[in-house]
PDB file of all heavy atoms in Angstrom:
ATOM      1  N   VAL Y  68      -6.712  14.784  11.279  1.00  0.00           N
ATOM      2  CA  VAL Y  68      -5.462  14.059  10.911  1.00  0.00           C
ATOM      3  C   VAL Y  68      -5.850  12.690  10.271  1.00  0.00           C
ATOM      4  O   VAL Y  68      -6.686  11.990  10.769  1.00  0.00           O
ATOM      5  CB  VAL Y  68      -4.629  13.820  12.190  1.00  0.00           C
ATOM      6  CG1 VAL Y  68      -3.383  13.021  11.868  1.00  0.00           C
ATOM      7  CG2 VAL Y  68      -4.251  15.136  12.835  1.00  0.00           C
ATOM      8  N   LEU Y  69      -5.170  12.402   9.121  1.00  0.00           N
ATOM      9  CA  LEU Y  69      -5.408  11.119   8.474  1.00  0.00           C
ATOM     10  C   LEU Y  69      -4.565  10.079   9.209  1.00  0.00           C
ATOM     11  O   LEU Y  69      -3.361  10.114   9.257  1.00  0.00           O
ATOM     12  CB  LEU Y  69      -5.005  11.192   7.040  1.00  0.00           C
ATOM     13  CG  LEU Y  69      -5.216   9.856   6.250  1.00  0.00           C
ATOM     14  CD1 LEU Y  69      -6.633   9.500   6.099  1.00  0.00           C
ATOM     15  CD2 LEU Y  69      -4.560   9.992   4.824  1.00  0.00           C
ATOM     16  N   LEU Y  70      -5.259   9.128   9.798  1.00  0.00           N
ATOM     17  CA  LEU Y  70      -4.554   8.078  10.508  1.00  0.00           C
ATOM     18  C   LEU Y  70      -4.049   6.966   9.563  1.00  0.00           C
ATOM     19  O   LEU Y  70      -4.628   6.756   8.502  1.00  0.00           O
ATOM     20  CB  LEU Y  70      -5.493   7.417  11.497  1.00  0.00           C
ATOM     21  CG  LEU Y  70      -6.049   8.358  12.616  1.00  0.00           C
ATOM     22  CD1 LEU Y  70      -7.024   7.589  13.536  1.00  0.00           C
ATOM     23  CD2 LEU Y  70      -4.894   8.940  13.418  1.00  0.00           C
ATOM     24  N   PRO Y  71      -2.939   6.338   9.896  1.00  0.00           N
ATOM     25  CA  PRO Y  71      -2.387   5.295   9.015  1.00  0.00           C
ATOM     26  C   PRO Y  71      -3.379   4.202   8.640  1.00  0.00           C
ATOM     27  O   PRO Y  71      -3.424   3.684   7.457  1.00  0.00           O
ATOM     28  CB  PRO Y  71      -1.232   4.721   9.770  1.00  0.00           C
ATOM     29  CG  PRO Y  71      -0.867   5.816  10.725  1.00  0.00           C
ATOM     30  CD  PRO Y  71      -2.084   6.481  11.075  1.00  0.00           C
ATOM     31  N   GLU Y  72      -4.210   3.780   9.570  1.00  0.00           N
ATOM     32  CA  GLU Y  72      -5.157   2.723   9.243  1.00  0.00           C
ATOM     33  C   GLU Y  72      -6.246   3.158   8.230  1.00  0.00           C
ATOM     34  O   GLU Y  72      -6.768   2.403   7.473  1.00  0.00           O
ATOM     35  CB  GLU Y  72      -5.871   2.175  10.525  1.00  0.00           C
ATOM     36  CG  GLU Y  72      -6.446   3.238  11.452  1.00  0.00           C
ATOM     37  CD  GLU Y  72      -5.519   3.709  12.534  1.00  0.00           C
ATOM     38  OE1 GLU Y  72      -4.332   4.016  12.226  1.00  0.00           O
ATOM     39  OE2 GLU Y  72      -5.923   3.696  13.701  1.00  0.00           O
ATOM     40  N   ASP Y  73      -6.576   4.506   8.273  1.00  0.00           N
ATOM     41  CA  ASP Y  73      -7.507   5.000   7.268  1.00  0.00           C
ATOM     42  C   ASP Y  73      -6.835   4.990   5.909  1.00  0.00           C
ATOM     43  O   ASP Y  73      -7.469   4.650   4.878  1.00  0.00           O
ATOM     44  CB  ASP Y  73      -7.951   6.399   7.665  1.00  0.00           C
ATOM     45  CG  ASP Y  73      -9.031   6.440   8.696  1.00  0.00           C
ATOM     46  OD1 ASP Y  73      -9.635   5.350   8.925  1.00  0.00           O
ATOM     47  OD2 ASP Y  73      -9.230   7.511   9.316  1.00  0.00           O
ATOM     48  N   ALA Y  74      -5.621   5.421   5.856  1.00  0.00           N
ATOM     49  CA  ALA Y  74      -4.873   5.411   4.598  1.00  0.00           C
ATOM     50  C   ALA Y  74      -4.766   4.011   3.987  1.00  0.00           C
ATOM     51  O   ALA Y  74      -5.011   3.802   2.819  1.00  0.00           O
ATOM     52  CB  ALA Y  74      -3.476   6.007   4.766  1.00  0.00           C
ATOM     53  N   MET Y  75      -4.543   3.063   4.892  1.00  0.00           N
ATOM     54  CA  MET Y  75      -4.430   1.638   4.429  1.00  0.00           C
ATOM     55  C   MET Y  75      -5.757   1.144   3.893  1.00  0.00           C
ATOM     56  O   MET Y  75      -5.796   0.363   2.982  1.00  0.00           O
ATOM     57  CB  MET Y  75      -3.881   0.775   5.549  1.00  0.00           C
ATOM     58  CG  MET Y  75      -2.400   0.975   5.819  1.00  0.00           C
ATOM     59  SD  MET Y  75      -1.372   0.736   4.365  1.00  0.00           S
ATOM     60  CE  MET Y  75      -1.814  -0.965   3.961  1.00  0.00           C
ATOM     61  N   ALA Y  76      -6.845   1.561   4.532  1.00  0.00           N
ATOM     62  CA  ALA Y  76      -8.157   1.137   4.020  1.00  0.00           C
ATOM     63  C   ALA Y  76      -8.424   1.682   2.654  1.00  0.00           C
ATOM     64  O   ALA Y  76      -9.032   1.006   1.823  1.00  0.00           O
ATOM     65  CB  ALA Y  76      -9.253   1.615   5.010  1.00  0.00           C
TER      66      ALA Y  76
END
Side-chain angles (χ1 to χ4, degrees):
V68 176
L69 179 68
L70 298 177
E72 51 266 49
D73 280 345
M75 287 304 300

